[in-house]
């Protein structure tokens, strides 16, 4: 069963769709890193980091609305030359392609696309933050007890410790907030698991060419993502110019007001036109700096490699010691081929185990170097050389 978008460009590959889906996360990481670096010199920028979710959601709201309005694609999809088209899927079992009705997105589809691209991810991020706080509070209460609550009345409700300055309104607000956090803490894991499972199922089916929808959101909206044709890419600039001319023609008021509004519109258009290039450059710069500093940290943390030291000189045969036989496999004590070869660790010479054990037990020294030794310094060799 094949699902194709007829007349509107070919179907993008799974890896193109995955790259387009991962771009917002990379963009957010790049912006957060850039703001964090700038905040070292400008402390007031830390306020943007305090409202990171809201700031990024507002930025993506502007970008997604602009790109959907002008190119019928999301911000990341437009960078990969992809377009969104209304889909009317007709499945066939033979090799003939399915017919679809193309055309531009309707206004409702564009609005709902912004909701799925910006609003729902923002809400999920906030729910994730609430869930993390609830989990940390639950863990802290389990280990050390809850500082803000008193005793448990046996029904799972905690009664606050009464104080002369307790405010009824504040207490009710805190109680409602606590209830909401408990509900989120219970429901969010199931919601997250369900959405991730559905997303994985759609991606797997898309990879196997079993469906033309990459995600549940596209299926709910009835939208296919396809590669833009060459004619569409060439017509995009003329389409944007016509839209902007119509917006300038709708300006009303005195001439000075029209001039001011036209200048503001021109500035807005310039910012939007260069936003894609600037943000992609920011992502590239962030990735380059991340690689650079990671490589520098690895070089600094890596131990310094020095050349191996030369081996120590071999021990010399003492004048009062037993001479070494010319054959290295012969025991110097019994002048026979070694049996159960054993080494004396203080000198490194090898003997028969029975011979060297008897000699060291009697003389307390190595028989060749005359160095002091004990039976504890005898080591058995399992591979004689």
């Amino acid at each position: 069963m094949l699902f194709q978008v007829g007349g509107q460009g070919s179907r993008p590959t799974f890896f193109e769709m995955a790259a387009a889906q991962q771009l917002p996360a990379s963009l957010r990481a790049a912006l957060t890193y850039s703001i964090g670096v700038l905040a070292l010199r400008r402390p007031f920028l830390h306020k943007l980091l305090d409202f990171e979710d809201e700031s990024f959601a507002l930025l993506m709201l502007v970008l997604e609305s602009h790109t959907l309005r002008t190119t019928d694609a999301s911000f990341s999809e437009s960078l990969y030359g992809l377009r969104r088209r209304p889909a009317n899927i007709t499945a066939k079992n033979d090799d003939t392609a399915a017919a679809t009705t193309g055309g531009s997105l309707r206004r409702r589809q564009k609005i709902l696309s912004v909701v799925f691209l910006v609003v729902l991810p923002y809400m999920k991020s906030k729910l994730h933050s609430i869930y993390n706080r609830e989990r940390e509070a639950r863990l802290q209460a389990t280990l050390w007890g809850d500082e803000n609550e008193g005793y448990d009345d046996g029904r799972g409700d905690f009664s606050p410790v009464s104080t002369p300055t307790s405010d009824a309104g504040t207490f009710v607000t805190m109680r409602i907030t606590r209830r909401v956090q408990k509900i989120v803490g219970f429901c969010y894991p199931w919601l997250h698991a369900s959405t991730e499972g559905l997303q994985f199922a759609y991606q797997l089916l898309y990879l196997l060419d079993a469906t033309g929808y990459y995600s549940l959101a596209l299926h709910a909206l009835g939208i296919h993502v396809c590669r833009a044709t060459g004619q569409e890419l060439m017509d995009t600039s003329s389409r944007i110019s016509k839209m902007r001319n119509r917006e300038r023609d709708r300006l009303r008021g005195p001439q000075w007001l029209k001039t001011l509004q036209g200048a503001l519109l021109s500035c807005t258009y310039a910012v939007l036109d260069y936003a894609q290039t600037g943000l992609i450059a920011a992502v590239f710069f962030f990735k380059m700096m991340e690689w650079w500093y990671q490589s520098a940290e690895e070089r600094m943390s890596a131990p310094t490699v020095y050349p191996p030291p030369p081996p120590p000189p071999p021990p010399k045969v003492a004048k009062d010691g037993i001479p070494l036989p010319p054959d290295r496999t012969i025991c110097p004590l019994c002048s026979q081929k070694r049996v159960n070869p054993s080494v004396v660790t203080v000198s490194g010479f090898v003997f028969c185990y029975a011979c060297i054990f008897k000699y060291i037990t009697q003389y307390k020294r190595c028989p060749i170097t005359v160095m002091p030794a004990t039976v504890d310094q005898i080591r058995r060799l399992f591979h004689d050389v």
Side-chain angles (χ1 to χ4, degrees):
M1 184 181 295
L2 297 177
F3 294 86
Q4 296 181 356
V5 181
Q8 297 295 334
S10 59
R11 176 179 180 267
T13 63
F14 172 82
F15 300 101
E16 288 176 324
M17 294 296 297
Q21 295 292 326
Q22 292 297 326
L23 184 60
S26 300
L27 177 60
R28 178 170 183 168
L31 292 177
T32 303
Y33 175 79
S34 302
I35 294 174
V37 172
L38 294 176
L40 297 176
R41 294 293 185 88
R42 303 291 185 270
F44 67 90
L45 293 177
H46 279 291
K47 296 181 179 179
L48 293 178
L49 296 178
D50 295 337
F51 299 96
E52 178 184 351
D53 294 334
E54 289 76 10
S55 302
F56 184 74
L58 181 61
L59 174 63
M60 294 306 298
L61 179 64
V62 175
L63 294 178
E64 299 290 3
S65 301
H66 173 68
T67 52
L68 282 169
R69 182 168 173 264
T70 55
T71 62
D72 284 344
S74 67
F75 172 73
S76 56
E77 291 167 355
S78 64
L79 296 176
Y80 286 90
L82 305 179
R83 295 292 183 269
R84 295 191 171 200
R85 295 289 179 263
N88 183 13
I89 302 300
T90 302
K92 294 186 179 182
N93 294 325
D94 53 7
D95 294 335
T96 58
T100 59
T101 58
S104 301
L105 295 178
R106 294 185 292 272
R107 180 180 179 85
R108 180 183 65 84
Q109 290 177 322
K110 293 182 179 180
I111 295 175
L112 292 178
S113 295
V114 173
V115 172
F116 278 101
L117 290 171
V118 180
V119 179
L120 292 184
Y122 169 74
M123 294 178 62
K124 184 178 179 180
S125 177
K126 302 307 290 184
L127 289 176
H128 185 72
S129 300
I130 296 175
Y131 170 73
N132 286 336
R133 289 197 298 268
E134 169 64 19
R135 185 178 60 178
E136 292 175 0
R138 193 186 311 119
L139 179 61
Q140 182 179 1
T142 303
L143 296 177
W144 299 290
D146 198 339
E147 298 178 355
N148 298 324
E149 295 182 349
Y151 62 91
D152 189 354
D153 60 1
R155 298 173 300 175
D157 297 333
F158 289 87
S159 301
V161 179
S162 59
T163 57
T165 60
S166 60
D167 186 9
T170 304
F171 167 68
V172 172
T173 303
M174 293 177 58
R175 193 177 184 85
I176 293 175
T177 303
R178 185 64 177 168
R179 289 292 184 182
V180 172
Q181 291 179 351
K182 288 184 177 180
I183 293 173
V184 172
F186 176 77
C187 297
Y188 177 76
W190 297 97
L191 177 64
H192 180 71
S194 301
T195 55
E196 292 296 323
L198 288 173
Q199 182 69 18
F200 174 76
Y202 269 94
Q203 291 178 1
L204 181 62
L205 293 175
Y206 189 88
L207 179 62
L208 299 177
D209 289 336
T211 182
Y213 300 104
Y214 182 79
S215 64
L216 177 63
L218 296 175
H219 197 174
L221 296 176
I223 292 176
H224 267 312
V225 178
C226 59
R227 293 191 184 95
T229 61
Q231 186 63 35
E232 288 176 337
L233 295 175
M234 290 187 294
D235 292 343
T236 299
S237 58
S238 60
R239 178 183 176 185
I240 295 175
S241 299
K242 292 179 181 179
M243 293 175 59
R244 293 177 177 179
N245 290 333
R246 287 196 300 268
E247 291 176 355
R248 289 190 178 93
D249 294 337
R250 286 198 296 265
L251 297 178
R252 296 292 183 269
Q255 185 61 34
W256 65 270
L257 184 58
K258 289 183 179 181
T259 304
L260 180 60
Q261 292 176 349
L264 293 177
L265 283 177
S266 299
C267 294
T268 303
Y269 295 153
V271 172
L272 293 175
D273 290 339
Y274 291 102
Q276 291 186 350
T277 305
L279 292 176
I280 294 303
V283 173
F284 175 77
F285 177 76
F286 165 72
K287 291 296 183 181
M288 184 184 67
M289 295 300 295
E290 184 180 30
W291 167 81
W292 178 267
Y293 283 108
Q294 184 177 3
S295 301
E297 290 178 358
E298 291 178 354
R299 290 195 301 268
M300 294 177 62
S301 60
T304 304
V305 179
Y306 296 102
K316 297 180 180 181
V317 179
K319 292 182 180 181
D320 299 335
I322 300 175
L324 290 174
D327 189 356
R328 298 181 61 182
T329 63
I330 300 299
C331 175
L333 293 175
C334 63
S335 299
Q336 302 293 328
K337 190 174 181 63
R338 287 192 294 259
V339 179
N340 294 329
S342 301
V343 63
V344 180
T345 58
V346 297
S347 61
F349 291 102
V350 183
F351 310 86
C352 296
Y353 179 77
C355 297
I356 190 61
F357 183 85
K358 182 179 179 181
Y359 186 91
I360 291 181
T361 302
Q362 183 178 358
Y363 297 102
K364 307 295 183 182
R365 66 183 185 181
C366 174
I368 296 176
T369 61
V370 196
M371 298 174 64
T374 62
V375 293
D376 294 334
Q377 294 173 326
I378 302 174
R379 296 292 183 268
R380 170 73 186 277
L381 296 179
F382 295 93
H383 297 281
D384 195 4
V385 291

